[in-house]
Amino acid sequence: MAGRLKGKVAVVTAAGQGIGRAIAEAFVREGATVYATDVDKAKLDGIARAKKARLDVLSTRAVEAYAQKVGQIDVLVNVAGFVHHGTVLECSEKDWDFSFDLNVKAMHRAIRAFLPGMLERAAATGRSGSIINMASGASSLKGVPNRYVYGATKAAVIGLTKAVAADFVAKGIRCNAICPGTVRSPSWEERVEELGKSIGGKDKALEMFVARQPMGRVGNPEEIAALAVYLASDEAAFTTGTAIPVDGGFAN
Ligand code: NAD
């Protein structure tokens, strides 16, 4: 099936690499007009047929200005996020604040900025708008060692998602969260490298990550993008307020 997002206008944050990039590329393939954004604009190079822009989701002013510029949209995908490694004892106030700013407040910023235009567009087209937030299996779904503040932020993402869904369910806006397990991405490769330094090599670190996955492998960004396409499309018109795992059994 192709053209599943034909006629839709979508904004994707953190589209430069990993899951965000796979989502932007899949949306383009399915016929959407895609605004692909990232704090590092150079990373957006090579995403064919997307409108590319630098957007730092830590800046309320920048997010509001960009939303003004883009105008009405059908789909907002909030992908930007950071993985802090450690327990509560390794998490300083600064670590806590940064993680919540990037992983949670950035979604608040983007939703506040884009939602008015999404409501207008939903009313004009008679088709629901879709907000998709990237949570994680490490969240309220599952406690994961050394993912203290990360897990707390991603649980907050699920709460935020459900609250937005409840407030706008009768106004043509759906809001859902995706909860990936471990997924191959540039930042994940760095985490493997980093962990390898403390446990005797990259191969050992890789084994540890795979051992967390009951399916015996990590996921690919395209496997997460497939769910994002579904949630963005009218096929998901009856789906809101969910937190859906795509995780090879990680949170089961
Ligand atoms: P990644 O971490 O490799 O890439 C992150 C991207 O975010 C980069 O392109 C970076 O430039 C961009 N970015 C960083 N700060 C930004 C900012 N202030 N404004 C805009 N963009 C910014 O990608 P990933 O590993 O695919 O992770 C993407 C999302 O998926 C994150 O929210 C992450 O928590 C979530 N997730 C990832 C995994 C995984 O195993 N990779 C698992 C579960 C959830």
Side-chain angles (χ1 to χ4, degrees):
M1 211 174 0
R4 291 161 73 197
L5 301 180
K6 204 160 172 252
K8 305 263 188 203
V9 180
V11 168
V12 184
T13 73
Q17 64 187 37
I19 292 170
R21 188 182 184 101
I23 290 174
E25 289 176 341
F27 279 18
V28 168
R29 275 198 306 278
E30 292 296 342
T33 298
V34 177
Y35 290 84
T37 71
D38 199 286
V39 69
D40 184 347
K41 189 162 184 261
K43 286 185 179 163
L44 299 167
D45 286 352
I47 304 181
R49 290 176 284 140
K51 298 172 195 295
K52 297 160 203 145
R54 177 181 190 274
L55 181 63
D56 180 356
V57 293
L58 291 172
S59 163
T60 302
R61 211 160 18 147
V63 171
E64 285 175 352
Y66 188 65
Q68 278 292 318
K69 193 173 156 202
V70 170
Q72 296 180 357
I73 62 168
D74 300 280
V75 184
L76 170 65
V77 193
N78 288 310
V79 182
F82 167 74
V83 182
H84 174 269
H85 179 90
T87 72
V88 60
L89 298 177
E90 285 91 43
C91 180
S92 67
E93 290 227 358
K94 208 169 147 206
D95 295 331
W96 174 276
D97 289 344
F98 177 75
S99 289
F100 267 85
D101 199 4
L102 183 55
N103 295 9
V104 189
K105 195 172 177 189
M107 294 191 184
H108 163 78
R109 280 184 193 104
I111 293 169
R112 265 183 68 85
F114 282 100
L115 188 53
M118 292 183 77
L119 286 162
E120 286 168 13
R121 182 142 171 111
T125 60
R127 305 199 305 181
S128 57
S130 174
I131 298 168
I132 301 168
N133 297 325
M134 207 48 63
S136 172
S139 59
S140 46
L141 301 191
K142 189 180 172 88
V144 176
N146 291 310
R147 292 290 179 267
Y148 165 68
V149 69
Y150 181 73
T153 63
K154 294 300 189 178
V157 168
I158 293 174
L160 175 156
T161 299
K162 287 178 177 284
V164 171
D167 281 336
F168 293 94
V169 65
K171 297 186 177 124
I173 302 297
R174 299 178 294 105
C175 185
N176 294 284
I178 298 179
C179 304
T182 304
V183 174
R184 196 174 295 286
S185 75
S187 76
W188 174 71
E189 304 276 358
E190 284 165 24
R191 287 192 288 282
V192 173
E193 202 71 55
E194 205 46 47
L195 181 64
K197 285 180 195 158
S198 58
I199 63 162
K202 195 180 160 187
D203 287 350
K204 278 215 173 109
L206 206 53
E207 260 173 45
M208 278 182 71
F209 274 105
V210 171
R212 303 193 316 186
Q213 297 289 130
M215 217 174 256
R217 68 170 178 89
V218 301
N220 296 312
E222 293 72 25
E223 292 174 302
I224 311 305
L227 177 58
V229 168
Y230 169 71
L231 289 173
S233 77
D234 295 331
E235 295 156 37
F238 202 48
T239 303
T240 193
T242 66
I244 307 179
V246 191
D247 67 355
F250 175 78
N252 187 16

